[in-house]
Amino acid sequence: MPLNLAVQMDPIERINIRGDSTFALLLEAQARGHALSYYTPDRLALRGKDVYATVRPLKVQDVEGGHFALGDERRIELKSFDVILMRQDPPFDLNYITATHLLERLAPATLVVNDPGHVRNAPEKVFVTLFPELMPATLVTRDLAEIRAFRAEHGDIVMKPLYGHGGGAVFRVTSDDLNFGSLYDMFAVTFREPWVVQQWIPGVKRGDKRIILVDGEFAGAVNRVPAADDLRSNMVRGGAAEATDLTPREREICARLGPALRQRGLLFTGIDVIDGYLTEINVTSPTGIRAIKKLGGPDIAAMIWDRIEAMRKR
């Protein structure tokens, strides 16, 4: 049965369709005959108990430079949609959090993917700390004394802002790096949130594996190898995508996380694993599914829509 679908995302004219997972989901939904509408988060409105948005009908095609067409605007109560994809990118700021509060009001009439309340309560670099046994040594703090003690214990470390994304402001600090004090001062002025400080994993040079789970089950993976002159493996930062299989340790990580993801309604998640260590659980706007398919892996967009359609039939 065709579904009435809306996507809440960043401006569609700015996306890079070659690697955009939201675009892959829209192509698959359209191929299945679902009706697409589009809006950006700034078009949300709460009036009384009802949540509205100004939306536009959407058609997509896999053509760079001509990948979308929009119809006329209309203001509509969001409960009239069967499904809403919450797919705007971070930053995970108060604007993002406000959107989760508004979309949370649509249940049970409308299925929001991922569940907005649990997206709000499971930011990538915080949610993952519920599973310390799967992670490298990790500290979350702004306290200089805590960071110094952690560095003294573990030697080389990585520092990154707690709510950063896309590999931005990720630094490796060696045990004898004289820039540590200056870096701390820069972080203190630039970021209001705490920082994540982790033990350096030398195996990152072999890649940072993005593993996709659909409703808590392993769906596919891509290994992202950093450029020779960069520690970051994110593909938007120049990382190269390679086909990959899971190790027994990575399968163990997936099995450990699966029940927690299903329980929270986090249907589409992407976890990051470096040399057998879990580093992040991405729930806001995971990506990687186009790269996985391009490298000969499964069609994860189809898997996600199979699950959404099954949930709507209940």
Side-chain angles (χ1 to χ4, degrees):
M1 180 180 71
L3 298 173
N4 191 15
L5 159 71
V7 59
Q8 176 177 303
M9 63 182 290
D10 299 311
I12 194 168
E13 65 271 15
R14 300 180 190 171
I15 66 173
N16 178 357
I17 66 171
R18 289 175 296 172
D20 194 273
S21 292
T22 303
F23 190 71
L25 291 171
L26 294 174
L27 286 171
E28 180 64 22
Q30 182 175 269
R32 294 178 179 224
H34 301 319
L36 308 184
S37 293
Y38 155 88
Y39 68 94
T40 51
D42 58 298
R43 306 310 301 272
L44 283 168
L46 173 66
R47 185 163 183 170
K49 295 182 179 180
D50 299 322
V51 181
Y52 294 84
T54 299
V55 309
R56 300 179 71 178
L58 171 66
K59 292 189 180 299
V60 291
Q61 58 178 355
D62 203 359
V63 177
E64 289 191 56
H67 59 280
F68 72 98
L70 296 172
D72 294 333
E73 288 188 350
R74 58 180 178 140
R75 179 176 179 272
I76 188 169
E77 187 176 356
L78 288 183
K79 281 186 178 179
S80 65
F81 289 102
D82 299 307
V83 177
I84 292 178
L85 300 179
M86 185 181 182
R87 290 290 303 175
Q88 79 265 25
D89 289 333
F92 190 80
D93 54 15
L94 287 175
N95 189 46
Y96 208 112
I97 290 171
T98 299
T100 68
H101 280 292
L102 297 187
L103 294 185
E104 194 174 18
R105 297 182 178 222
L106 304 180
T110 300
L111 174 65
V112 181
V113 178
N114 284 324
D115 181 279
H118 284 295
V119 166
R120 180 178 65 249
N121 294 332
E124 276 84 336
K125 297 177 183 68
V126 176
F127 182 33
V128 68
T129 61
L130 294 178
F131 307 93
E133 71 280 7
L134 304 178
M135 300 181 66
T138 299
L139 171 71
V140 179
T141 189
R142 286 181 65 90
D143 187 275
L144 178 58
E146 288 279 359
I147 299 173
R148 281 178 168 161
F150 186 89
R151 185 180 177 217
E153 179 181 355
H154 295 289
D156 293 4
I157 59 173
V158 172
M159 292 178 60
K160 51 190 173 182
L162 183 61
Y163 296 115
H165 60 98
V170 177
F171 291 88
R172 176 188 179 185
V173 183
T174 60
S175 59
D176 58 354
D177 195 331
L178 298 179
N179 291 307
F180 171 72
S182 295
L183 180 62
Y184 175 85
D185 291 343
M186 184 189 73
F187 267 49
V189 170
T190 305
F191 303 106
R192 297 182 63 186
E193 73 260 33
W195 314 309
V196 178
V197 186
Q198 287 184 322
Q199 181 180 10
W200 168 251
I201 306 172
V204 70
K205 65 184 179 183
R206 295 187 296 274
D208 178 351
K209 198 169 291 189
R210 165 57 55 88
I211 302 171
I212 303 297
L213 295 96
V214 175
D215 202 20
E217 298 290 339
F218 168 68
V222 60
N223 193 40
R224 304 168 299 176
V225 180
D229 61 350
D230 204 329
L231 66 90
R232 301 168 300 177
S233 58
N234 309 69
M235 286 182 279
V236 295
R237 306 291 177 183
E242 294 182 345
T244 189
D245 294 318
L246 294 194
T247 65
R249 167 65 171 174
E250 290 160 352
R251 292 189 181 278
E252 175 190 345
I253 291 171
C254 291
R256 178 76 174 82
L257 297 180
L261 299 175
R262 283 191 295 274
Q263 180 184 12
R264 291 166 171 80
L266 299 172
L267 189 146
F268 177 15
T269 56
I271 66 172
D272 296 337
V273 178
I274 301 174
D275 202 20
Y277 291 100
L278 175 69
T279 60
E280 291 189 16
I281 303 174
N282 297 274
V283 304
T284 50
S285 186
T287 190
I289 64 178
R290 295 214 91 179
I292 290 169
K293 185 177 179 181
K294 183 178 180 180
L295 291 167
D299 186 344
I300 297 176
M303 298 167 67
I304 291 169
W305 277 107
D306 285 346
R307 187 66 189 129
I308 291 173
E309 290 170 355
M311 293 172 73
R312 289 304 306 176
K313 289 178 182 178
R314 289 178 181 172

